[in-house]
Amino acid sequence: MTDSLSMSASLASAPARFESENLTWRTMTVNDLEAAHRLSFNLGWPHRVDDWRQMLEVGEGVVLESVDELVGTGLCFNQGAVATLGLVVISDDWQGLGLGREMMARLMALAGPRTLMLVATKAGQPLYQKLGFEPCNRICQYQGVVTGAPPAPREPGLRPMAASDQAALIALSPDSPAHAVAVQSANRGVVIEKGGVIEGFALKRTYGRGEHIGPILARSAEQAQALVLALLTDAEGDFIRIDLVDPGDDSWLTALGLTCVDQITRMRCGEAVEEEPLTRFGMLTQALG
């Protein structure tokens, strides 16, 4: 499942409850993480409580609660000229009351005058379009148990990430706390370095049901593929997830047991922001971009 608004049909009792019970909007705190995790778990999303905790550490959250339950969540991640919005959830019991629109308004206010990015399901896309978002990318969620060990790719300059690379990798996205945390907490990483310049890198870390490969940044699709294959050479039997941006031929992934289980739309509100010096071929997470 994806990091976007749940648009399931509301229960018939919801309007009456909305009128009779107090609803409170407030800032998310660490004390909300268990309840927030239950909301995402009920949607079938794979996030662990630790995933929620890490994302709250690098973002700002909003929650909506009734007298005795957490009703909704949303997170905003400010990353310089861009902000990403994600983990927007409204409980099924409270659908159809305009609460999703109100949640989005609050998150957009947190982001301020930045270009906004999010990932939307087909069900959530109409709301986001009404709020000024336009489709900009196709995101394919690949996952599965790796069924084979690919040969080590022969990409010039490809090598394992070293601790001494951290500062240079963080400097590629200096305005993004999420990027910095991803670099510092990765279980493993690979880089492509030529002439002392990093031309690409990919990280692997614990996430959801297993491990996630991302972000994947490179100068070409061929480099991006080589980075991923390098991280899969010792992953046979492991559950891996990768969220690829506008992928082409994916036979190299499906041959290893990773299939596209969902296709969703990445949307933007505001002017396009150039991704320099590297292109993002794989997302850190769907919420974080």
Side-chain angles (χ1 to χ4, degrees):
M1 303 297 290
T2 59
D3 300 336
S4 55
L5 181 64
S6 171
M7 299 293 287
S8 303
S10 62
L11 299 182
S13 61
R17 294 181 60 189
F18 180 61
E19 294 173 359
S20 63
E21 296 189 23
N22 293 323
L23 289 174
T24 303
W25 295 93
R26 60 173 175 80
T27 300
M28 182 184 290
T29 73
V30 293
N31 295 327
D32 297 312
L33 295 179
E34 293 285 349
H37 173 254
R38 284 194 293 273
L39 280 182
S40 61
F41 179 82
N42 289 339
L43 293 177
W45 294 358
H47 306 81
R48 305 166 303 153
V49 174
D50 283 346
D51 299 325
W52 273 93
R53 179 175 293 106
Q54 189 174 76
M55 284 187 275
L56 182 58
E57 288 174 357
V58 297
E60 299 178 88
V62 174
V63 297
L64 174 63
E65 62 182 356
S66 68
V67 174
D68 58 357
E69 66 176 331
L70 197 70
V71 171
T73 64
L75 284 165
C76 173
F77 307 95
N78 292 331
Q79 305 183 47
V82 173
T84 60
L85 310 180
L87 289 171
V88 180
V89 184
I90 300 298
S91 171
D92 282 352
D93 292 5
W94 295 89
Q95 290 287 332
L97 303 174
L99 299 177
R101 178 184 287 271
E102 176 66 16
M103 176 67 76
M104 286 296 298
R106 291 172 180 270
L107 295 178
M108 292 169 76
L110 280 179
R114 295 176 169 87
T115 291
L116 304 179
M117 304 289 294
L118 57 76
V119 172
T121 60
K122 290 181 180 179
Q125 191 168 335
L127 170 61
Y128 302 135
Q129 287 179 315
K130 291 176 182 177
L131 294 173
F133 288 82
E134 298 180 349
C136 59
N137 298 105
R138 178 174 59 97
I139 307 299
C140 290
Q141 177 184 330
Y142 291 85
Q143 66 184 45
V145 175
V146 180
T147 56
R154 297 181 178 180
E155 175 67 32
L158 179 64
R159 62 170 176 79
M161 182 182 73
S164 58
D165 294 318
Q166 285 194 0
L169 295 180
I170 291 172
L172 293 172
S173 296
D175 298 321
S176 172
H179 176 83
V181 169
V183 172
Q184 294 164 346
S185 63
N187 298 333
R188 186 182 170 207
V190 288
V191 303
I192 296 173
E193 182 183 8
K194 296 180 182 179
V197 177
I198 292 178
E199 293 193 353
F201 77 97
L203 306 175
K204 185 165 69 171
R205 64 192 181 85
T206 303
Y207 176 82
R209 295 172 56 189
E211 290 188 300
H212 188 280
I213 293 178
I216 306 161
L217 281 76
R219 290 187 174 176
S220 70
E222 291 73 22
Q223 285 184 330
Q225 179 175 331
L227 289 164
V228 173
L229 289 174
L231 290 177
L232 293 177
T233 54
D234 62 351
E236 186 170 5
D238 295 342
F239 184 89
I240 300 290
R241 171 172 167 170
I242 310 173
D243 294 294
L244 294 183
V245 181
D246 295 324
D249 177 18
D250 63 0
S251 58
W252 58 281
L253 271 179
T254 58
L256 295 171
L258 301 182
T259 58
C260 180
V261 299
D262 199 10
Q263 295 193 44
I264 50 273
T265 301
R266 192 183 189 198
M267 304 184 76
R268 181 183 71 243
C269 180
E271 297 296 323
V273 176
E274 292 295 327
E275 292 190 74
E276 292 183 350
L278 303 176
T279 299
R280 187 173 301 270
F281 290 92
M283 307 182 80
L284 173 54
T285 71
Q286 290 185 12
L288 293 169

